Amino acid sequence: MASLSAAISRSSSSPCFPPPNPNTASLSHHRNIFHSQCRAFPLSRPSLFLRKGLTLPPGRESQSTRICASVADVSLNLSVEEKQLPKGDTWSVHKFGGTCVGTSQRIKNVADIIIKDDSERKLVVVSAMSKVTDMMYDLINKAQSRDENYVAALDVVLEKHSQTAHDLLDGDHLASFLSQLHQDINNLKAMLRAIYIAGHATESFTDFVVGHGELWSAQMLSLVIRKNGVDCKWMDTREVLIVNPTSSNQVDPDYSLSQQGLEKWYSLNPAKVIIATGFIASTPQNIPTTLKRDGSDFSAAIMGALFRARQVTIWTDVDGVFSADPRKVSEAVILKTLSYQEAWEMSYFGANVLHPRTIIPVMRYGIPIIIRNIFNLSAPGTKICHPSVIEDEDKQDLQNFVKGFATIDNLALVNVEGTGMAGVPGTASAIFGAVKDVGANVIMISQASSEHSVCFAVPEKEVKAVAEALQSRFRQALDAGRLSQVAVVPNCSILAAVGQKMASTPGVSATLFNALAKASINVRAIAQGCSEYNITVVIKREDCIKALRAVHSRFYLSRTTIAMGIIGPGLIGSTLLDQLRDQASVLKEEFNIDLRVMGIISSKSMLLSESGIDLARWRELRDEKGEVANLDKFVHHVHGNHFIPNTAIVDCTSDSIIAGHYNDWLRKGIHVVTPNKKANSGPLDQYLSLRALQRQSYTHYFYEATVGAGLPIISTLRGLLETGDRILQIEGIFSGTLSYIFNNFKDGRAFSEVVAEAKEAGYTEPDPRDDLSGTDVARKVIILARESGLKLELSDIPVESLVPEPLRDCASAQEFMQQLPKFDQLLSKKQEEAENAGEVLRYVGVVDVTNKKGTVELRRYKKDHPFAHLSGSDNIIAFTTRRYQNQPLIVRGPGAGAQVTAGGIFSDILRLASYLGAPS
């Protein structure tokens, strides 16, 4: 002991224990620490020095004696008036981590927060400045490695705190702190020199050294607050917090002794603002120690319990607790409230919330913990408290059965199985006894009710030792065949869903596993405790992020969040995009329908987004970020966003090749919405296959806009059939273009003149022959015929073309329009004959369900017939059914134009949302 004391004395003449706390009248605590440190250092070390040939200077024992005696001789002034510690709601506790006090400016910000807090009394727990604790541990490592650079490293620590003090303080406050700082640094040099000589540092020596960072930050902060005219004291919590070390590298607070220490401290240092050191404490033997991992949070929670504080606020650099890791899930949200149990579960499973032990002290007294962001004071943060408080404060959260999701990576699954395990007492004990012997940590356990297998997850770095221990422990059973295998499944991750309201709520597990299934995630193992606060699954490590996004979206996004891909941003497609832009916010806010366009593709280029395209700028973005069109990549991108529950492709083209993909998309679970008539009017077997897929799966196919644009033609037909009516005939004017032409083909006007007028007004296709041929009307007729139950091909429909035979092969639309006046006489004659008979000409399509046929032709109607009173480009459809036999059911309205067609598509998208769960 004399040799050790001499070694310390040679490095510095200053004492090797911290100088007296200016707020306390007692030095016995520090004197005991010094003697404890001497006792804690191995007595064999001085003899080790001698065996290695180290020369010890003479007079060590007398110097050591003088140091200790100097402590004993100090006289103390105890004339401080003692005051009783007030407890209860008048106290609020704040904890600021190293990032919060990492610079002089941030320390000023902390001081401002404390001063502005309107609580009657405040206790503030602070960590060391950012990186300082690591720097202190580095000092220990260098010293015990006999690296003389520890001296220079200590000078860096001194400079960091000296510079910060100069930025913050002046006058007596600065002089007082710098004097204390230099004294502490000299003490540390002495201790580090002793460690350097010994080549070893005990745990108590290490804890004593590293705790200085908290001492300095607490002193500086208290002086800054005093500088602002606030009565403030700083507390060295080693004088108050008493803890008992455990075998698991943790400590258990001794609340009784700590309460006594606090009351004694406060009686000598009464103040309404107390700045306390986090992380550090003492053992019952007055040996300095630390609270280990997340020690400052733990300090704040313990202090909150000792003071019976109103609340404990943990200040950090995030806005609160997220529903999932925001680095993995961009849709993660800040949770307004969490119960103690929910926070506990999420912490255990790796979420960056609080260490579980931090919750225990405050939970006992129902003291809420608030997680807040010091860099965003406007954010309210997350409150952790009793469930009853949550329900009173946030009625809306009652529907959030799952509060959050957490993951643990780098795990392996160990599976022990065999028929010999069933009914054999002690098997599980033997398995986990072997695991305990190798010191492995079991994260999760799952056992089949048949008792034939037990599987559990352990950290991957420990699985080899676990497997070897189990192979050795059960060698005889394995050889005899009572156990079939000890198998290891590497590269695993755990996904945990946490929520107190999951308990006794039917369907939560089903929803979770449905979301995983939709994302094609295979579950390796499952565990759920009887408390039902969490459901834990083991999955492949490479599937972890995808699984996390999938389940988070299922519980946190609207059930009617739909990822959409728009094919064909032409006239109709661009109009639809503009309508979506104008209505999206209303749908989300009022109807909980979240429509996100993830991709837009044309024949040449495409624009993709991970979270949704800004529809106010989609044209500009396409020019800036567009890439070469690739339909397979486009569909994979839109459907591959597993954080969105539903996917829909909206085909705004008239392309038969695109329509040929519908079957494949529906099989993949992609909903299809389209005005494209090519799929339903193409080969009959293709149509029947699409309808069969519709009936057999939960994937939807909507095509209302294929007939009548925005008019409810197909939905009306289905409504009649589904309610048991029988369709006799469907007759109508299905072409807005031809409706316009024949509504204006009167009063002696030439047919070519009216066609030219329609083309100029934009009612016709670029080539009017596409309209006049009647093919488009025939496609609508065949669609309605098939919807009525007729199995007809397009070729079965006779079509009267209005394109004169000689003009059908014209090289261009321009040539066609030039030649058309030569054939006006034929149609003019028909129009004149109809007029003379008191009738009008109308180009109609007819589905004759009774005779199982369809036709497209030019017909004459009396002037009192509903078809004779159309205007503009209106469509009109008459349903003659068993119920509506004497007076057909009429549907009439605009049947052409980008706005109404896009509106029909939009209506189908909203119908899809209602099928998926949106309010109707």
Side-chain angles (χ1 to χ4, degrees), residues 804-852:
E805 181 72 30
L807 301 184
R808 293 176 185 175
D809 295 326
C810 285
S812 66
Q814 183 180 3
E815 182 183 349
F816 167 75
M817 292 302 296
Q818 290 173 348
Q819 298 294 324
L820 184 59
K822 297 178 181 179
F823 300 89
D824 281 340
Q825 186 177 0
L826 178 62
L827 280 174
S828 293
K829 182 179 179 182
K830 289 185 178 182
Q831 195 275 336
E832 186 178 341
E833 290 173 352
E835 180 68 26
N836 291 336
E839 297 175 337
V840 295
L841 290 177
R842 295 294 183 258
Y843 194 80
V844 299
V846 180
V847 179
D848 186 347
V849 180
T850 304
N851 297 308
K852 299 182 180 179

Side-chain angles (χ1 to χ4, degrees), residues 568-590:
L571 180 59
I572 293 174
S574 61
T575 304
L576 173 64
L577 287 166
D578 291 342
Q579 290 178 357
L580 288 168
R581 174 201 63 203
D582 296 339
Q583 195 66 11
S585 60
V586 175
L587 290 173
K588 187 172 183 179
E589 292 171 8
E590 296 187 13

Side-chain angles (χ1 to χ4, degrees), residues 584-631:
S585 60
V586 175
L587 290 173
K588 187 172 183 179
E589 292 171 8
E590 296 187 13
F591 301 99
N592 203 26
I593 299 174
D594 190 357
L595 304 178
R596 305 189 186 188
V597 178
M598 313 301 288
I600 302 170
I601 186 172
S602 65
S603 59
K604 295 181 179 179
S605 67
M606 64 182 180
L607 173 65
L608 305 178
S609 170
E610 292 293 336
S611 58
I613 296 170
D614 180 358
L615 296 185
R617 300 177 58 242
W618 71 267
R619 295 174 179 85
E620 177 185 339
L621 292 170
R622 181 181 59 178
D623 294 339
E624 294 175 359
K625 302 179 180 180
E627 52 188 285
V628 176
N630 182 318
L631 186 61

Side-chain angles (χ1 to χ4, degrees), residues 190-208:
M191 183 162 286
L192 292 168
R193 180 62 181 172
I195 294 171
Y196 177 89
I197 293 172
H200 171 76
T202 63
E203 182 179 354
S204 53
F205 268 51
T206 300
D207 289 346
F208 182 73

